[in-house]
Amino acid sequence: MTLAPPLDGRRDGPHGGQRDGAGRGRFRPAVLRSPLARYLAARLLLVLPTVLLLLTAVFFLMRATGDPVTTAFADRLTPAQLQQKLHAAGYDRPLLTQYLDYLRQVATGDFGRTATDNRAVGEVLLTYGAATLELACWALLVAVAVGVPLGALAARHRDRAPDAVLRLAAVLGYATPVFFVGLLLKLVFAVGLGWLPVAGRASVQTELRLQDLADPTGLYLLDALRSGDGAAVADVLRHSVLPALALGLLLAGVLLRLVRTHLIATLEAEYVVAARSRGVGARRLLTRHAARPALVPVVTVLGLQVAGLLGGAVLTETTFEWKGLGYQLAHYLTVRDFAAVQGIVALFAVVVAVVNFLVDALAALIDPRVRY
Amino acid sequence: MSDRPAAPDRPRHPAAPDRPRRLARLVPQRVRGSVGLQRAMLLTGAGLTALLLLAALLAPWLAPWGHAQLQDGGALFGSRQPPGPGHPLGTTAGGYDVLARTLWGTRTAVAVIGLSLLLSVLPGTLLGLFSGYLGGWADRLLVGVADALYSFPSLLLAIVMSVVISGGRSSLVGGLTAAACSIALVFVPQYFRAVRAEVLRVKAEPFVEAARVIGTGHLRIMFRHVLRNSVRSLPLLLTLNAAESVLTLAGLGFLGFGIEPNSAAEWGYDLNRSVSDVTSGVWWTALAPGTATVLTVLGVTLLGESLNDLADPRLRRRRAPAASTSPTAAKEPTRA
């Protein structure tokens, strides 16, 4: 009997611990001037090690596969000549020296030159990055335009026919490789019906025309608009439809499921039930009461999907010969062009890290509970 | 020692889910316990998965030709022959039989699924267990690494890995290992995160403390008490992993970092070859391998999801007195 109180006390221990996450905010505010600023600063600091880690990993992994000089000339040069070339390119130095050199370069914003076609990596990134950015924007547009309304629809008609159909469609969207979707779209709309172009970012005439612009941004739609040529704009748009659909539908499936799950969860929350009992209509419940809390996890996971979006972009670009970073990455990988691959991977890492940071910041802005 | 219960491997705690049942018994059990749409999804998933396994098992008898066969009795099959007698689904640009390559491809898919599961579940779970249970700086470091890997495009990791392992393209064993390792690299962090989170939760439970009070060693607590109660979310992750490995293999093959066509039949490679076919209106080379990929991923995903859905209400009911867990984003499939 005397043992009972301490045991009870102990049992409370872990429970108290579990609530720690929620309770922490209550204990600390006095210390923190601006919780939001502090949270964002801490979060921003996490971006650096992530990028550094990925750079390091890719550097050593790529070195483990061999070097571009040997890949290119192994069967054409004598060992001595090869050695000379390796020495000239600096590939015979100790790995650690090369690594530190590389980090120093990157820190100053110099990504070096590509080994195979001798272009500045920075310039490669800019040129092809614009193409990938354009594709990603289109895809996001398609994903949000398709995924969010359909997800809300599924949540509203939960467990009834529309929900069942939409959920199956979402699973099917997940199960279909993005390049197969691309091929099917091509077969039907480009080859079968002949409505849209088969591949590329624009027709040859348009590309030539856009290159003549004084200061091309690389974003074809923008450039076409600036050129003031209606035909060019239409041409760029027509070329964008199928790639955007292929990549966008992939994301739309994920988005649909996310929106549905989280809307249903918040629709079941007590405050929503309370609002319903006060006579708030179904539409208003959905758009006003349930949407905002459901938005946080959706935005967060959508941020994580940027990684998926970039991966999907590599495949989509290859399918549609969309000359972006992914298309180039696949090319540079096959020829073992370290500098180019590292540059592209570094850019992807930075983009992912920064987007994740922005997403967390956005989540903190939407929902104060996030900033603890 | 003597006061220990006869069956010490059964931690008696209300929060502990039942002991993992055998998968073979799990599916029929779930079918009985399901209705309507969920039952249809479960049956479809189980059916498609069974079909995949069956096709992989019986490929030598089902397939009309070998996966790398170009001729029959001295007569070449011919390139891009439309579907017809002898070649029900036509031939590819390289002169292979489409049906044969699609059927043989099931073997590659099953092999990669198996190998990648093996390579990701074990290290991921163990790392998660040790990291979560022991804590400290190693834990923090691992979490950082896992987060970095997790946030990076998985397909790119896979490509870099496969280039590292096999120099891009290779034999059956090399290609399979490369694909499986690349997929493992992507999934180890996911198992790690899932298991670690659960371990942190379970570690604080009174029964762990009770075990420590009676003098149980740390290793025994980890494997007997904590691990068994921390693998709840693994089944869903397993099927996701399986689905993702098929997709990653196809993606690698499609980009030209997969398995060589005469080493094994691989759908991604065939789809890559069919890109130019599609442009010239040849539809049959893309359709079969693509559909096979979709059906495989669909089957595994549906099976895992419906099993998870059906297990969920039971878990929720049992854990009702405790705070209800918020739906976690980690359960949503992410995909490259």
Side-chain angles (χ1 to χ4, degrees):
Chain A
M1 285 309 250
T2 45
L3 275 178
L7 257 183
D8 272 358
R10 283 207 160 184
R11 205 161 277 168
D12 279 345
H15 283 291
Q18 276 176 350
R19 267 187 238 121
D20 199 50
R24 223 184 283 166
R26 230 182 301 142
F27 293 120
R28 280 205 200 156
V31 190
L32 311 175
R33 273 289 139 69
S34 159
L36 181 61
R38 206 188 144 115
Y39 168 76
L40 291 185
R43 185 62 192 71
L44 190 59
L45 278 181
L46 276 176
V47 171
L48 270 181
T50 310
V51 172
L52 188 67
L53 189 84
L54 286 169
L55 276 184
T56 311
V58 171
F59 179 90
F60 286 108
L61 283 177
M62 285 307 294
R63 283 302 188 275
T65 65
D67 62 90
V69 178
T70 315
T71 313
F73 303 110
D75 41 358
R76 274 185 276 159
L77 297 178
T78 65
Q81 283 172 314
L82 198 64
Q83 202 54 44
Q84 203 181 351
K85 264 202 170 301
L86 278 175
H87 183 74
Y91 288 124
D92 58 345
R93 292 173 301 158
L95 210 53
L96 202 63
T97 322
Q98 292 186 42
Y99 172 63
L100 291 177
D101 250 23
Y102 174 65
L103 283 191
R104 202 171 304 136
Q105 273 188 354
V106 169
T108 56
D110 172 18
F111 288 100
R113 299 188 78 79
T114 62
T116 44
D117 46 6
N118 196 29
R119 300 166 65 181
V121 175
E123 179 208 306
V124 170
L125 292 183
L126 274 183
T127 319
Y128 297 109
T132 302
L133 181 69
E134 200 172 6
L135 176 63
C137 287
W138 285 122
L140 267 181
L141 195 72
V142 170
V144 172
V146 174
V148 173
L150 289 185
L153 190 75
R156 216 175 140 181
H157 300 278
R158 186 187 173 183
D159 293 334
R160 276 173 290 161
D163 184 28
V165 173
L166 286 173
R167 280 176 72 190
L168 278 179
V171 176
L172 200 63
Y174 166 76
T176 316
V178 58
F179 47 88
F180 187 48
V181 177
L183 287 178
L184 289 180
L185 286 174
K186 261 187 179 184
L187 259 180
V188 175
F189 294 104
V191 180
L193 298 170
W195 289 352
L196 293 162
V198 175
R201 292 180 66 195
S203 61
V204 181
Q205 298 100 301
T206 313
E207 280 201 341
L208 286 176
R209 208 188 134 76
L210 293 184
Q211 272 163 11
D212 284 345
L213 274 182
D215 183 23
T217 56
L219 300 169
Y220 275 16
L221 183 63
L222 217 61
D223 286 346
L225 284 173
R226 274 174 41 202
S227 76
D229 181 352
V233 175
D235 185 53
V236 168
L237 283 178
R238 274 162 46 86
H239 276 84
S240 308
V241 174
L242 292 185
L245 272 182
L247 189 52
L249 287 181
L250 163 77
L251 275 188
V254 178
L255 201 59
L256 189 159
R257 295 160 48 103
L258 269 178
V259 169
R260 176 187 175 274
T261 315
H262 293 294
L263 265 186
I264 285 177
T266 46
L267 276 175
E268 280 173 352
E270 282 174 6
Y271 73 92
V272 175
V273 176
R276 183 175 287 144
S277 68
R278 288 201 305 273
V280 179
R283 172 176 283 273
R284 198 180 156 79
L285 268 183
L286 199 67
T287 53
R288 275 298 150 99
H289 297 257
R292 191 160 149 141
L295 207 57
V296 176
V298 169
V299 166
T300 313
V301 178
L302 203 60
L304 282 179
Q305 288 299 316
V306 167
L309 182 72
L310 289 177
V314 177
L315 294 170
T316 314
E317 285 174 8
T318 311
T319 316
F320 288 99
E321 287 162 46
W322 185 278
K323 300 229 163 48
L325 280 180
Y327 185 83
Q328 282 312 104
L329 180 70
H331 163 71
Y332 283 130
L333 266 167
T334 35
V335 296
R336 298 279 183 291
D337 193 327
F338 293 150
V341 170
Q342 278 163 7
I344 295 175
V345 170
L347 184 69
F348 278 177
V350 170
V351 167
V352 170
V354 167
V355 168
N356 280 345
F357 165 71
L358 289 179
V359 159
D360 281 359
L362 200 61
L365 283 177
I366 299 175
D367 186 350
R369 282 175 304 178
V370 175
R371 339 160 186 156
Y372 48 76
Chain B
M1 280 297 246
S2 56
D3 57 0
R4 187 142 287 172
D9 58 342
R10 202 173 293 209
R12 304 213 167 153
H13 187 267
D18 336 357
R19 303 183 49 196
R21 297 191 194 90
R22 290 216 191 101
L23 194 71
R25 272 174 55 204
L26 189 67
V27 173
Q29 212 159 32
R30 289 279 179 265
V31 172
R32 275 198 299 280
S34 61
V35 282
L37 178 66
Q38 275 192 329
R39 173 176 261 184
M41 280 170 70
L42 177 59
L43 285 176
T44 315
L48 285 175
T49 311
L51 208 63
L52 169 78
L53 293 175
L54 215 62
L57 200 70
L58 302 178
W61 293 278
L62 288 176
W65 314 100
H67 65 81
Q69 199 172 342
L70 290 169
Q71 51 183 354
D72 183 34
L76 284 171
F77 290 164
S79 172
R80 293 180 181 167
Q81 293 298 311
H87 303 288
L89 295 177
T91 62
T92 70
Y96 300 114
D97 181 71
V98 175
L99 178 64
R101 281 196 62 86
T102 307
L103 281 171
W104 283 100
T106 55
R107 291 203 147 188
T108 318
V110 169
V112 165
I113 290 178
L115 203 59
S116 71
L117 284 186
L118 199 71
L119 287 176
S120 11
V121 177
L122 277 181
T125 311
L126 286 182
L127 279 177
L129 178 63
F130 276 87
S131 183
Y133 188 82
L134 299 175
W137 62 268
D139 179 43
R140 251 174 260 160
L141 185 73
L142 280 175
V143 170
V145 173
D147 279 354
L149 285 180
Y150 185 73
S151 66
F152 198 67
S154 54
L155 185 69
L156 293 192
L157 278 181
I159 293 173
V160 174
M161 274 302 279
S162 87
V163 170
V164 171
I165 293 176
S166 62
R169 97 156 0 187
S170 55
S171 63
L172 176 60
V173 176
L176 279 182
T177 324
C181 283
S182 339
I183 297 153
L185 184 70
V186 173
F187 266 86
V188 164
Q190 299 203 19
Y191 287 104
F192 169 80
R193 285 159 64 113
V195 170
R196 182 179 168 277
E198 282 289 294
V199 166
L200 286 183
R201 184 184 66 83
V202 174
K203 189 169 89 165
E205 294 279 352
F207 69 84
V208 172
E209 220 169 332
R212 202 176 297 163
V213 166
I214 61 169
T216 317
H218 280 298
L219 270 182
R220 190 182 172 85
I221 291 183
M222 275 161 73
F223 284 95
R224 270 274 137 90
H225 300 262
V226 176
L227 181 62
R228 281 169 179 242
N229 290 304
S230 306
V231 291
R232 197 181 58 194
S233 55
L234 287 202
L236 178 69
L237 210 49
L238 274 176
T239 56
L240 262 179
N241 187 346
E244 200 74 28
S245 44
V246 176
L247 287 171
T248 309
L249 179 73
L252 282 176
F254 183 75
L255 291 174
F257 300 105
I259 302 164
E260 280 185 344
N262 44 11
S263 305
E266 200 268 305
W267 298 328
Y269 173 85
D270 289 351
L271 282 169
N272 171 296
R273 296 286 100 185
S274 70
V275 172
S276 52
D277 296 353
V278 162
T279 311
S280 50
V282 174
W283 52 270
W284 56 87
T285 50
L287 224 50
T291 313
T293 314
V294 174
L295 288 182
T296 303
V297 179
L298 194 66
V300 178
T301 313
L302 280 180
L303 182 66
E305 288 217 343
S306 42
L307 282 182
N308 187 61
D309 281 1
L310 289 170
D312 220 8
R314 181 186 61 106
L315 283 175
R316 225 180 298 145
R317 220 173 21 251
R318 282 189 157 229
R319 288 177 45 237
S324 66
T325 50
S326 63
T328 48
K331 282 192 174 175
E332 288 296 329
T334 54
R335 146 156 188 219

